[in-house]
mmCIF file with all atom_site columns, all heavy atoms in Angstrom:
data_model
loop_
_atom_site.group_PDB
_atom_site.id
_atom_site.type_symbol
_atom_site.label_atom_id
_atom_site.label_alt_id
_atom_site.label_comp_id
_atom_site.label_asym_id
_atom_site.label_entity_id
_atom_site.label_seq_id
_atom_site.pdbx_PDB_ins_code
_atom_site.Cartn_x
_atom_site.Cartn_y
_atom_site.Cartn_z
_atom_site.occupancy
_atom_site.B_iso_or_equiv
_atom_site.pdbx_formal_charge
_atom_site.auth_seq_id
_atom_site.auth_comp_id
_atom_site.auth_asym_id
_atom_site.auth_atom_id
_atom_site.pdbx_PDB_model_num
ATOM 1   N N   . ASN T 1 1  ? 4.445   -2.191  -2.797 1.00 96.00 ? 10 ASN T N   1
ATOM 2   C CA  . ASN T 1 1  ? 5.180   -3.131  -1.975 1.00 96.00 ? 10 ASN T CA  1
ATOM 3   C C   . ASN T 1 1  ? 6.127   -3.975  -2.848 1.00 96.00 ? 10 ASN T C   1
ATOM 4   O O   . ASN T 1 1  ? 6.423   -5.113  -2.563 1.00 96.00 ? 10 ASN T O   1
ATOM 5   C CB  . ASN T 1 1  ? 4.253   -4.012  -1.117 1.00 96.00 ? 10 ASN T CB  1
ATOM 6   C CG  . ASN T 1 1  ? 3.343   -4.907  -1.935 1.00 96.00 ? 10 ASN T CG  1
ATOM 7   O OD1 . ASN T 1 1  ? 3.688   -5.353  -3.031 1.00 96.00 ? 10 ASN T OD1 1
ATOM 8   N ND2 . ASN T 1 1  ? 2.166   -5.213  -1.399 1.00 96.00 ? 10 ASN T ND2 1
ATOM 9   N N   . HIS T 1 2  ? 6.583   -3.352  -3.925 1.00 95.00 ? 11 HIS T N   1
ATOM 10  C CA  . HIS T 1 2  ? 7.572   -3.938  -4.831 1.00 95.00 ? 11 HIS T CA  1
ATOM 11  C C   . HIS T 1 2  ? 7.018   -5.183  -5.520 1.00 95.00 ? 11 HIS T C   1
ATOM 12  O O   . HIS T 1 2  ? 7.734   -6.167  -5.748 1.00 95.00 ? 11 HIS T O   1
ATOM 13  C CB  . HIS T 1 2  ? 8.857   -4.294  -4.065 1.00 95.00 ? 11 HIS T CB  1
ATOM 14  C CG  . HIS T 1 2  ? 10.102  -4.150  -4.878 1.00 95.00 ? 11 HIS T CG  1
ATOM 15  N ND1 . HIS T 1 2  ? 10.902  -3.046  -4.813 1.00 95.00 ? 11 HIS T ND1 1
ATOM 16  C CD2 . HIS T 1 2  ? 10.686  -4.975  -5.783 1.00 95.00 ? 11 HIS T CD2 1
ATOM 17  C CE1 . HIS T 1 2  ? 11.941  -3.200  -5.638 1.00 95.00 ? 11 HIS T CE1 1
ATOM 18  N NE2 . HIS T 1 2  ? 11.821  -4.364  -6.243 1.00 95.00 ? 11 HIS T NE2 1
ATOM 19  N N   . GLY T 1 3  ? 5.751   -5.131  -5.849 1.00 94.00 ? 12 GLY T N   1
ATOM 20  C CA  . GLY T 1 3  ? 5.146   -6.282  -6.512 1.00 94.00 ? 12 GLY T CA  1
ATOM 21  C C   . GLY T 1 3  ? 5.131   -7.525  -5.651 1.00 94.00 ? 12 GLY T C   1
ATOM 22  O O   . GLY T 1 3  ? 5.111   -8.650  -6.168 1.00 94.00 ? 12 GLY T O   1
ATOM 23  N N   . GLY T 1 4  ? 5.125   -7.326  -4.323 1.00 93.00 ? 13 GLY T N   1
ATOM 24  C CA  . GLY T 1 4  ? 5.141   -8.475  -3.415 1.00 93.00 ? 13 GLY T CA  1
ATOM 25  C C   . GLY T 1 4  ? 6.480   -9.161  -3.322 1.00 93.00 ? 13 GLY T C   1
ATOM 26  O O   . GLY T 1 4  ? 6.562   -10.249 -2.744 1.00 93.00 ? 13 GLY T O   1
ATOM 27  N N   . ARG T 1 5  ? 7.547   -8.544  -3.834 1.00 94.00 ? 14 ARG T N   1
ATOM 28  C CA  . ARG T 1 5  ? 8.838   -9.221  -3.941 1.00 94.00 ? 14 ARG T CA  1
ATOM 29  C C   . ARG T 1 5  ? 9.777   -8.943  -2.768 1.00 94.00 ? 14 ARG T C   1
ATOM 30  O O   . ARG T 1 5  ? 10.903  -9.434  -2.751 1.00 94.00 ? 14 ARG T O   1
ATOM 31  C CB  . ARG T 1 5  ? 9.502   -8.806  -5.257 1.00 94.00 ? 14 ARG T CB  1
ATOM 32  C CG  . ARG T 1 5  ? 8.724   -9.256  -6.474 1.00 94.00 ? 14 ARG T CG  1
ATOM 33  C CD  . ARG T 1 5  ? 9.139   -8.522  -7.728 1.00 94.00 ? 14 ARG T CD  1
ATOM 34  N NE  . ARG T 1 5  ? 10.418  -8.952  -8.249 1.00 94.00 ? 14 ARG T NE  1
ATOM 35  C CZ  . ARG T 1 5  ? 10.608  -10.043 -9.003 1.00 94.00 ? 14 ARG T CZ  1
ATOM 36  N NH1 . ARG T 1 5  ? 9.568   -10.813 -9.308 1.00 94.00 ? 14 ARG T NH1 1
ATOM 37  N NH2 . ARG T 1 5  ? 11.799  -10.351 -9.457 1.00 94.00 ? 14 ARG T NH2 1
ATOM 38  N N   . GLN T 1 6  ? 9.346   -8.138  -1.801 1.00 92.00 ? 15 GLN T N   1
ATOM 39  C CA  . GLN T 1 6  ? 10.193  -7.825  -0.669 1.00 92.00 ? 15 GLN T CA  1
ATOM 40  C C   . GLN T 1 6  ? 9.632   -8.436  0.617  1.00 92.00 ? 15 GLN T C   1
ATOM 41  O O   . GLN T 1 6  ? 9.945   -9.559  0.951  1.00 92.00 ? 15 GLN T O   1
ATOM 42  C CB  . GLN T 1 6  ? 10.354  -6.302  -0.566 1.00 92.00 ? 15 GLN T CB  1
ATOM 43  C CG  . GLN T 1 6  ? 11.304  -5.727  -1.602 1.00 92.00 ? 15 GLN T CG  1
ATOM 44  C CD  . GLN T 1 6  ? 12.689  -6.292  -1.467 1.00 92.00 ? 15 GLN T CD  1
ATOM 45  O OE1 . GLN T 1 6  ? 13.131  -7.109  -2.288 1.00 92.00 ? 15 GLN T OE1 1
ATOM 46  N NE2 . GLN T 1 6  ? 13.405  -5.901  -0.429 1.00 92.00 ? 15 GLN T NE2 1
ATOM 47  N N   . LEU T 1 7  ? 8.805   -7.688  1.338  1.00 95.00 ? 16 LEU T N   1
ATOM 48  C CA  . LEU T 1 7  ? 8.220   -8.178  2.588  1.00 95.00 ? 16 LEU T CA  1
ATOM 49  C C   . LEU T 1 7  ? 6.900   -8.869  2.289  1.00 95.00 ? 16 LEU T C   1
ATOM 50  O O   . LEU T 1 7  ? 5.966   -8.229  1.796  1.00 95.00 ? 16 LEU T O   1
ATOM 51  C CB  . LEU T 1 7  ? 8.001   -7.006  3.549  1.00 95.00 ? 16 LEU T CB  1
ATOM 52  C CG  . LEU T 1 7  ? 7.291   -7.328  4.867  1.00 95.00 ? 16 LEU T CG  1
ATOM 53  C CD1 . LEU T 1 7  ? 8.167   -8.234  5.725  1.00 95.00 ? 16 LEU T CD1 1
ATOM 54  C CD2 . LEU T 1 7  ? 6.937   -6.050  5.611  1.00 95.00 ? 16 LEU T CD2 1
ATOM 55  N N   . ASP T 1 8  ? 6.832   -10.159 2.579  1.00 95.00 ? 17 ASP T N   1
ATOM 56  C CA  . ASP T 1 8  ? 5.543   -10.835 2.394  1.00 95.00 ? 17 ASP T CA  1
ATOM 57  C C   . ASP T 1 8  ? 4.590   -10.384 3.503  1.00 95.00 ? 17 ASP T C   1
ATOM 58  O O   . ASP T 1 8  ? 5.000   -10.048 4.604  1.00 95.00 ? 17 ASP T O   1
ATOM 59  C CB  . ASP T 1 8  ? 5.732   -12.351 2.427  1.00 95.00 ? 17 ASP T CB  1
ATOM 60  C CG  . ASP T 1 8  ? 4.669   -13.090 1.619  1.00 95.00 ? 17 ASP T CG  1
ATOM 61  O OD1 . ASP T 1 8  ? 3.897   -12.407 0.913  1.00 95.00 ? 17 ASP T OD1 1
ATOM 62  O OD2 . ASP T 1 8  ? 4.622   -14.333 1.669  1.00 95.00 ? 17 ASP T OD2 1
ATOM 63  N N   . ARG T 1 9  ? 3.305   -10.370 3.174  1.00 96.00 ? 18 ARG T N   1
ATOM 64  C CA  . ARG T 1 9  ? 2.254   -9.827  4.041  1.00 96.00 ? 18 ARG T CA  1
ATOM 65  C C   . ARG T 1 9  ? 2.407   -8.320  4.244  1.00 96.00 ? 18 ARG T C   1
ATOM 66  O O   . ARG T 1 9  ? 2.009   -7.768  5.268  1.00 96.00 ? 18 ARG T O   1
ATOM 67  C CB  . ARG T 1 9  ? 2.217   -10.540 5.403  1.00 96.00 ? 18 ARG T CB  1
ATOM 68  C CG  . ARG T 1 9  ? 1.934   -12.035 5.321  1.00 96.00 ? 18 ARG T CG  1
ATOM 69  C CD  . ARG T 1 9  ? 1.998   -12.683 6.696  1.00 96.00 ? 18 ARG T CD  1
ATOM 70  N NE  . ARG T 1 9  ? 1.659   -14.078 6.663  1.00 96.00 ? 18 ARG T NE  1
ATOM 71  C CZ  . ARG T 1 9  ? 2.519   -15.059 6.351  1.00 96.00 ? 18 ARG T CZ  1
ATOM 72  N NH1 . ARG T 1 9  ? 3.783   -14.752 6.050  1.00 96.00 ? 18 ARG T NH1 1
ATOM 73  N NH2 . ARG T 1 9  ? 2.131   -16.325 6.347  1.00 96.00 ? 18 ARG T NH2 1
ATOM 74  N N   . ALA T 1 10 ? 2.986   -7.642  3.271  1.00 96.00 ? 19 ALA T N   1
ATOM 75  C CA  . ALA T 1 10 ? 3.119   -6.190  3.322  1.00 96.00 ? 19 ALA T CA  1
ATOM 76  C C   . ALA T 1 10 ? 1.766   -5.526  3.094  1.00 96.00 ? 19 ALA T C   1
ATOM 77  O O   . ALA T 1 10 ? 0.822   -6.158  2.625  1.00 96.00 ? 19 ALA T O   1
ATOM 78  C CB  . ALA T 1 10 ? 4.109   -5.724  2.262  1.00 96.00 ? 19 ALA T CB  1
ATOM 79  N N   . PRO T 1 11 ? 1.629   -4.235  3.418  1.00 96.00 ? 20 PRO T N   1
ATOM 80  C CA  . PRO T 1 11 ? 0.365   -3.529  3.162  1.00 96.00 ? 20 PRO T CA  1
ATOM 81  C C   . PRO T 1 11 ? -0.013  -3.585  1.684  1.00 96.00 ? 20 PRO T C   1
ATOM 82  O O   . PRO T 1 11 ? 0.844   -3.648  0.810  1.00 96.00 ? 20 PRO T O   1
ATOM 83  C CB  . PRO T 1 11 ? 0.657   -2.095  3.606  1.00 96.00 ? 20 PRO T CB  1
ATOM 84  C CG  . PRO T 1 11 ? 1.767   -2.222  4.588  1.00 96.00 ? 20 PRO T CG  1
ATOM 85  C CD  . PRO T 1 11 ? 2.604   -3.369  4.098  1.00 96.00 ? 20 PRO T CD  1
ATOM 86  N N   . ILE T 1 12 ? -1.301  -3.534  1.421  1.00 96.00 ? 21 ILE T N   1
ATOM 87  C CA  . ILE T 1 12 ? -1.820  -3.565  0.060  1.00 96.00 ? 21 ILE T CA  1
ATOM 88  C C   . ILE T 1 12 ? -1.893  -2.129  -0.454 1.00 96.00 ? 21 ILE T C   1
ATOM 89  O O   . ILE T 1 12 ? -2.657  -1.316  0.072  1.00 96.00 ? 21 ILE T O   1
ATOM 90  C CB  . ILE T 1 12 ? -3.211  -4.221  0.027  1.00 96.00 ? 21 ILE T CB  1
ATOM 91  C CG1 . ILE T 1 12 ? -3.126  -5.663  0.544  1.00 96.00 ? 21 ILE T CG1 1
ATOM 92  C CG2 . ILE T 1 12 ? -3.798  -4.181  -1.385 1.00 96.00 ? 21 ILE T CG2 1
ATOM 93  C CD1 . ILE T 1 12 ? -4.482  -6.294  0.828  1.00 96.00 ? 21 ILE T CD1 1
ATOM 94  N N   . PRO T 1 13 ? -1.118  -1.767  -1.464 1.00 97.00 ? 22 PRO T N   1
ATOM 95  C CA  . PRO T 1 13 ? -1.095  -0.370  -1.930 1.00 97.00 ? 22 PRO T CA  1
ATOM 96  C C   . PRO T 1 13 ? -2.472  0.173   -2.292 1.00 97.00 ? 22 PRO T C   1
ATOM 97  O O   . PRO T 1 13 ? -2.792  1.327   -1.957 1.00 97.00 ? 22 PRO T O   1
ATOM 98  C CB  . PRO T 1 13 ? -0.166  -0.431  -3.154 1.00 97.00 ? 22 PRO T CB  1
ATOM 99  C CG  . PRO T 1 13 ? 0.751   -1.579  -2.865 1.00 97.00 ? 22 PRO T CG  1
ATOM 100 C CD  . PRO T 1 13 ? -0.110  -2.581  -2.163 1.00 97.00 ? 22 PRO T CD  1
ATOM 101 N N   . PHE T 1 14 ? -3.298  -0.607  -2.959 1.00 97.00 ? 23 PHE T N   1
ATOM 102 C CA  . PHE T 1 14 ? -4.612  -0.130  -3.379 1.00 97.00 ? 23 PHE T CA  1
ATOM 103 C C   . PHE T 1 14 ? -5.490  0.180   -2.173 1.00 97.00 ? 23 PHE T C   1
ATOM 104 O O   . PHE T 1 14 ? -6.326  1.081   -2.225 1.00 97.00 ? 23 PHE T O   1
ATOM 105 C CB  . PHE T 1 14 ? -5.269  -1.180  -4.274 1.00 97.00 ? 23 PHE T CB  1
ATOM 106 C CG  . PHE T 1 14 ? -6.582  -0.745  -4.867 1.00 97.00 ? 23 PHE T CG  1
ATOM 107 C CD1 . PHE T 1 14 ? -6.655  0.354   -5.705 1.00 97.00 ? 23 PHE T CD1 1
ATOM 108 C CD2 . PHE T 1 14 ? -7.754  -1.452  -4.604 1.00 97.00 ? 23 PHE T CD2 1
ATOM 109 C CE1 . PHE T 1 14 ? -7.870  0.756   -6.266 1.00 97.00 ? 23 PHE T CE1 1
ATOM 110 C CE2 . PHE T 1 14 ? -8.968  -1.068  -5.163 1.00 97.00 ? 23 PHE T CE2 1
ATOM 111 C CZ  . PHE T 1 14 ? -9.024  0.037   -5.993 1.00 97.00 ? 23 PHE T CZ  1
ATOM 112 N N   . HIS T 1 15 ? -5.325  -0.539  -1.062 1.00 96.00 ? 24 HIS T N   1
ATOM 113 C CA  . HIS T 1 15 ? -6.082  -0.238  0.139  1.00 96.00 ? 24 HIS T CA  1
ATOM 114 C C   . HIS T 1 15 ? -5.590  1.041   0.814  1.00 96.00 ? 24 HIS T C   1
ATOM 115 O O   . HIS T 1 15 ? -6.373  1.772   1.428  1.00 96.00 ? 24 HIS T O   1
ATOM 116 C CB  . HIS T 1 15 ? -5.985  -1.400  1.137  1.00 96.00 ? 24 HIS T CB  1
ATOM 117 C CG  . HIS T 1 15 ? -6.846  -2.573  0.778  1.00 96.00 ? 24 HIS T CG  1
ATOM 118 N ND1 . HIS T 1 15 ? -6.844  -3.750  1.496  1.00 96.00 ? 24 HIS T ND1 1
ATOM 119 C CD2 . HIS T 1 15 ? -7.736  -2.755  -0.237 1.00 96.00 ? 24 HIS T CD2 1
ATOM 120 C CE1 . HIS T 1 15 ? -7.705  -4.606  0.943  1.00 96.00 ? 24 HIS T CE1 1
ATOM 121 N NE2 . HIS T 1 15 ? -8.256  -4.022  -0.099 1.00 96.00 ? 24 HIS T NE2 1
ATOM 122 N N   . LEU T 1 16 ? -4.286  1.313   0.714  1.00 97.00 ? 25 LEU T N   1
ATOM 123 C CA  . LEU T 1 16 ? -3.730  2.532   1.305  1.00 97.00 ? 25 LEU T CA  1
ATOM 124 C C   . LEU T 1 16 ? -4.133  3.790   0.541  1.00 97.00 ? 25 LEU T C   1
ATOM 125 O O   . LEU T 1 16 ? -4.138  4.893   1.090  1.00 97.00 ? 25 LEU T O   1
ATOM 126 C CB  . LEU T 1 16 ? -2.198  2.447   1.307  1.00 97.00 ? 25 LEU T CB  1
ATOM 127 C CG  . LEU T 1 16 ? -1.532  1.504   2.292  1.00 97.00 ? 25 LEU T CG  1
ATOM 128 C CD1 . LEU T 1 16 ? -0.040  1.436   2.005  1.00 97.00 ? 25 LEU T CD1 1
ATOM 129 C CD2 . LEU T 1 16 ? -1.776  1.958   3.727  1.00 97.00 ? 25 LEU T CD2 1
ATOM 130 N N   . LEU T 1 17 ? -4.433  3.630   -0.730 1.00 97.00 ? 26 LEU T N   1
ATOM 131 C CA  . LEU T 1 17 ? -4.592  4.765   -1.643 1.00 97.00 ? 26 LEU T CA  1
ATOM 132 C C   . LEU T 1 17 ? -5.568  5.840   -1.151 1.00 97.00 ? 26 LEU T C   1
ATOM 133 O O   . LEU T 1 17 ? -5.199  7.022   -1.116 1.00 97.00 ? 26 LEU T O   1
ATOM 134 C CB  . LEU T 1 17 ? -4.989  4.242   -3.022 1.00 97.00 ? 26 LEU T CB  1
ATOM 135 C CG  . LEU T 1 17 ? -5.203  5.273   -4.124 1.00 97.00 ? 26 LEU T CG  1
ATOM 136 C CD1 . LEU T 1 17 ? -3.919  6.062   -4.382 1.00 97.00 ? 26 LEU T CD1 1
ATOM 137 C CD2 . LEU T 1 17 ? -5.667  4.578   -5.407 1.00 97.00 ? 26 LEU T CD2 1
ATOM 138 N N   . PRO T 1 18 ? -6.811  5.514   -0.783 1.00 97.00 ? 27 PRO T N   1
ATOM 139 C CA  . PRO T 1 18 ? -7.756  6.587   -0.423 1.00 97.00 ? 27 PRO T CA  1
ATOM 140 C C   . PRO T 1 18 ? -7.264  7.447   0.745  1.00 97.00 ? 27 PRO T C   1
ATOM 141 O O   . PRO T 1 18 ? -7.364  8.679   0.714  1.00 97.00 ? 27 PRO T O   1
ATOM 142 C CB  . PRO T 1 18 ? -9.043  5.829   -0.071 1.00 97.00 ? 27 PRO T CB  1
ATOM 143 C CG  . PRO T 1 18 ? -8.923  4.534   -0.792 1.00 97.00 ? 27 PRO T CG  1
ATOM 144 C CD  . PRO T 1 18 ? -7.470  4.192   -0.764 1.00 97.00 ? 27 PRO T CD  1
ATOM 145 N N   . GLN T 1 19 ? -6.715  6.803   1.771  1.00 97.00 ? 28 GLN T N   1
ATOM 146 C CA  . GLN T 1 19 ? -6.258  7.538   2.942  1.00 97.00 ? 28 GLN T CA  1
ATOM 147 C C   . GLN T 1 19 ? -5.070  8.435   2.609  1.00 97.00 ? 28 GLN T C   1
ATOM 148 O O   . GLN T 1 19 ? -5.014  9.602   3.018  1.00 97.00 ? 28 GLN T O   1
ATOM 149 C CB  . GLN T 1 19 ? -5.865  6.555   4.052  1.00 97.00 ? 28 GLN T CB  1
ATOM 150 C CG  . GLN T 1 19 ? -5.365  7.238   5.319  1.00 97.00 ? 28 GLN T CG  1
ATOM 151 C CD  . GLN T 1 19 ? -4.809  6.252   6.326  1.00 97.00 ? 28 GLN T CD  1
ATOM 152 O OE1 . GLN T 1 19 ? -4.346  5.178   5.960  1.00 97.00 ? 28 GLN T OE1 1
ATOM 153 N NE2 . GLN T 1 19 ? -4.860  6.608   7.605  1.00 97.00 ? 28 GLN T NE2 1
ATOM 154 N N   . VAL T 1 20 ? -4.108  7.908   1.848  1.00 98.00 ? 29 VAL T N   1
ATOM 155 C CA  . VAL T 1 20 ? -2.922  8.693   1.513  1.00 98.00 ? 29 VAL T CA  1
ATOM 156 C C   . VAL T 1 20 ? -3.307  9.878   0.627  1.00 98.00 ? 29 VAL T C   1
ATOM 157 O O   . VAL T 1 20 ? -2.828  10.998  0.823  1.00 98.00 ? 29 VAL T O   1
ATOM 158 C CB  . VAL T 1 20 ? -1.868  7.802   0.833  1.00 98.00 ? 29 VAL T CB  1
ATOM 159 C CG1 . VAL T 1 20 ? -0.714  8.648   0.296  1.00 98.00 ? 29 VAL T CG1 1
ATOM 160 C CG2 . VAL T 1 20 ? -1.347  6.756   1.816  1.00 98.00 ? 29 VAL T CG2 1
ATOM 161 N N   . VAL T 1 21 ? -4.173  9.651   -0.356 1.00 98.00 ? 30 VAL T N   1
ATOM 162 C CA  . VAL T 1 21 ? -4.612  10.746  -1.214 1.00 98.00 ? 30 VAL T CA  1
ATOM 163 C C   . VAL T 1 21 ? -5.340  11.813  -0.404 1.00 98.00 ? 30 VAL T C   1
ATOM 164 O O   . VAL T 1 21 ? -5.134  13.016  -0.592 1.00 98.00 ? 30 VAL T O   1
ATOM 165 C CB  . VAL T 1 21 ? -5.514  10.215  -2.345 1.00 98.00 ? 30 VAL T CB  1
ATOM 166 C CG1 . VAL T 1 21 ? -6.192  11.359  -3.092 1.00 98.00 ? 30 VAL T CG1 1
ATOM 167 C CG2 . VAL T 1 21 ? -4.711  9.367   -3.320 1.00 98.00 ? 30 VAL T CG2 1
ATOM 168 N N   . ARG T 1 22 ? -6.170  11.390  0.510  1.00 97.00 ? 31 ARG T N   1
ATOM 169 C CA  . ARG T 1 22 ? -6.919  12.340  1.342  1.00 97.00 ? 31 ARG T CA  1
ATOM 170 C C   . ARG T 1 22 ? -5.981  13.219  2.179  1.00 97.00 ? 31 ARG T C   1
ATOM 171 O O   . ARG T 1 22 ? -6.206  14.420  2.342  1.00 97.00 ? 31 ARG T O   1
ATOM 172 C CB  . ARG T 1 22 ? -7.880  11.574  2.252  1.00 97.00 ? 31 ARG T CB  1
ATOM 173 C CG  . ARG T 1 22 ? -8.819  12.454  3.078  1.00 97.00 ? 31 ARG T CG  1
ATOM 174 C CD  . ARG T 1 22 ? -9.933  11.635  3.697  1.00 97.00 ? 31 ARG T CD  1
ATOM 175 N NE  . ARG T 1 22 ? -9.440  10.579  4.577  1.00 97.00 ? 31 ARG T NE  1
ATOM 176 C CZ  . ARG T 1 22 ? -9.545  9.282   4.296  1.00 97.00 ? 31 ARG T CZ  1
ATOM 177 N NH1 . ARG T 1 22 ? -10.100 8.869   3.174  1.00 97.00 ? 31 ARG T NH1 1
ATOM 178 N NH2 . ARG T 1 22 ? -9.097  8.374   5.145  1.00 97.00 ? 31 ARG T NH2 1
ATOM 179 N N   . GLU T 1 23 ? -4.889  12.637  2.672  1.00 97.00 ? 32 GLU T N   1
ATOM 180 C CA  . GLU T 1 23 ? -4.004  13.358  3.568  1.00 97.00 ? 32 GLU T CA  1
ATOM 181 C C   . GLU T 1 23 ? -2.924  14.173  2.845  1.00 97.00 ? 32 GLU T C   1
ATOM 182 O O   . GLU T 1 23 ? -2.543  15.247  3.316  1.00 97.00 ? 32 GLU T O   1
ATOM 183 C CB  . GLU T 1 23 ? -3.333  12.365  4.534  1.00 97.00 ? 32 GLU T CB  1
ATOM 184 C CG  . GLU T 1 23 ? -4.286  11.658  5.476  1.00 97.00 ? 32 GLU T CG  1
ATOM 185 C CD  . GLU T 1 23 ? -4.870  12.594  6.514  1.00 97.00 ? 32 GLU T CD  1
ATOM 186 O OE1 . GLU T 1 23 ? -4.204  13.579  6.871  1.00 97.00 ? 32 GLU T OE1 1
ATOM 187 O OE2 . GLU T 1 23 ? -5.998  12.333  6.986  1.00 97.00 ? 32 GLU T OE2 1
ATOM 188 N N   . VAL T 1 24 ? -2.396  13.658  1.737  1.00 97.00 ? 33 VAL T N   1
ATOM 189 C CA  . VAL T 1 24 ? -1.251  14.341  1.116  1.00 97.00 ? 33 VAL T CA  1
ATOM 190 C C   . VAL T 1 24 ? -1.456  14.623  -0.372 1.00 97.00 ? 33 VAL T C   1
ATOM 191 O O   . VAL T 1 24 ? -0.594  15.225  -1.006 1.00 97.00 ? 33 VAL T O   1
ATOM 192 C CB  . VAL T 1 24 ? 0.063   13.528  1.296  1.00 97.00 ? 33 VAL T CB  1
ATOM 193 C CG1 . VAL T 1 24 ? 0.317   13.219  2.763  1.00 97.00 ? 33 VAL T CG1 1
ATOM 194 C CG2 . VAL T 1 24 ? 0.045   12.242  0.459  1.00 97.00 ? 33 VAL T CG2 1
ATOM 195 N N   . GLY T 1 25 ? -2.581  14.193  -0.940 1.00 95.00 ? 34 GLY T N   1
ATOM 196 C CA  . GLY T 1 25 ? -2.789  14.327  -2.382 1.00 95.00 ? 34 GLY T CA  1
ATOM 197 C C   . GLY T 1 25 ? -2.827  15.754  -2.887 1.00 95.00 ? 34 GLY T C   1
ATOM 198 O O   . GLY T 1 25 ? -2.553  16.001  -4.060 1.00 95.00 ? 34 GLY T O   1
#
């Protein structure tokens, strides 16, 4: 999320990681 420098309250990349890896890894 660009180090939090763009959209505040953006998704947390580390929380997205397991699902994204499972689907497209």
Side-chain angles (χ1 to χ4, degrees):
N10 64 31
H11 213 98
R14 296 163 74 81
Q15 284 300 107
L16 175 66
D17 207 8
R18 299 177 177 83
I21 300 168
F23 185 61
H24 283 176
L25 288 172
L26 180 61
Q28 180 188 27
V29 172
V30 169
R31 186 167 59 248
E32 296 290 332
V33 306

